[in-house]
Amino acid sequence: MMKRLLTLSILMMSLTVVAQQVDITFELNMSSVTTADAVWIAGGGNFENPGDNPAYQMTETSPGSDVYTVTVTRDVGFSSYYTFTNGTCGDYSCKENLAGLPCGDPGNFNDRFLPPVSSDTTILACFGQCSTDGTCDAVETSDVTFRVDMNDYAGSFSTVSIGGTWNGFNPTEFPMTETSPGSGVYEITLGFTDGLTYEYKFIEDGGVAGEEYYETLAVGLPCTMTSGPFTN
């Protein structure tokens, strides 16, 4: 009888521990930016790097809604720093920029902070902004024309494109057009949010053979920025 009571007590304790969990839903409005090929919640030591775990990739609530969501289950009292990324960038070059904003902690990479959660919770946010109701303030945008001269390039190529931190350096999303047949000069015009910094590279043949199809830039050139092993 004593053994049966002990087993029952252990089972009840186990059930109690399992029950002390909450669902945390993050709902992110991406209308403030041009959305890349994937949107992630990442960082904080709890959400891993963007692209490492499919459980943290956010999905669009409906086609064209520009609202992305993901739900995670955690123990009661869970808290963490976190950020959102517009693209799959292991170096966090495509993370939202909250520098100087009240929802970004300068002591923790300007990430957001989720205070301890005691019940099922939905967090409403806008990419790169601090609204808490899921709306995005209107943003000013400007058109930027990129033009690259390929005439001095020694290799062979069929197409030229551009990729950057705004789209996870996707090599095929933004093909460039030759300004005139045989000119060897390619260009494209894209719209960007004012006040933000973007990194980019020109890419040949859609990057089909990997990193070597992205232009190679020397560290220290005045037109470059180096983040870890990447110079863009």
Side-chain angles (χ1 to χ4, degrees):
M1 183 66 176
M2 180 65 71
K3 182 177 180 181
R4 185 177 299 173
L5 288 174
L6 180 60
T7 302
L8 181 59
S9 298
I10 293 174
L11 178 60
M12 291 178 66
M13 289 173 62
S14 299
L15 290 174
T16 300
V17 171
V18 171
Q20 291 179 341
Q21 290 192 316
V22 292
D23 287 337
I24 308 170
T25 298
F26 297 88
E27 191 169 291
L28 177 66
N29 190 333
M30 292 291 292
S31 64
S32 59
V33 293
T34 300
T35 307
D37 57 336
V39 178
W40 300 83
I41 183 171
N46 291 292
F47 297 104
E48 303 184 33
N49 297 323
D52 284 356
N53 189 336
Y56 300 128
Q57 182 173 359
M58 307 183 76
T59 57
E60 197 169 17
T61 55
S62 60
S65 68
D66 265 346
V67 176
Y68 290 74
T69 185
V70 67
T71 299
V72 299
T73 301
R74 293 291 188 269
D75 291 340
V76 167
F78 173 80
S79 65
S80 179
Y81 285 97
Y82 67 98
T83 190
F84 299 111
T85 69
N86 185 23
T88 307
C89 51
D91 62 350
Y92 287 87
S93 57
C94 62
K95 68 173 284 187
E96 59 183 342
N97 182 7
L98 299 177
L101 298 181
C103 59
D105 186 339
N108 286 276
F109 309 102
N110 292 308
D111 285 353
R112 301 173 185 264
F113 181 69
L114 176 70
V117 178
S118 59
S119 60
D120 291 348
T121 301
T122 297
I123 305 297
L124 303 176
C126 172
F127 189 87
Q129 298 183 17
C130 291
S131 67
T132 57
D133 60 359
T135 61
C136 290
D137 294 334
V139 294
E140 297 294 328
T141 62
S142 298
D143 286 341
V144 178
T145 297
F146 297 88
R147 185 176 293 120
V148 58
D149 188 335
M150 299 292 290
N151 286 295
D152 291 333
Y153 178 64
S156 61
F157 64 93
S158 298
T159 62
V160 179
S161 59
I162 188 172
T165 51
W166 66 87
N167 74 334
F169 287 89
N170 185 311
T172 60
E173 185 175 3
F174 295 111
M176 303 179 73
T177 303
E178 196 170 18
T179 55
S180 61
S183 69
V185 177
Y186 293 77
E187 72 175 18
I188 189 173
T189 299
L190 302 173
F192 293 94
T193 302
D194 292 354
L196 298 183
T197 299
Y198 301 92
E199 299 178 39
Y200 66 94
K201 277 188 173 181
F202 297 110
I203 309 160
E204 58 169 297
D205 293 338
V208 292
E211 188 67 25
E212 64 267 29
Y213 275 57
Y214 290 68
E215 66 174 332
T216 301
L217 299 167
V219 175
L221 291 178
C223 63
T224 64
M225 175 181 291
T226 298
S227 302
F230 303 102
T231 298
N232 301 315

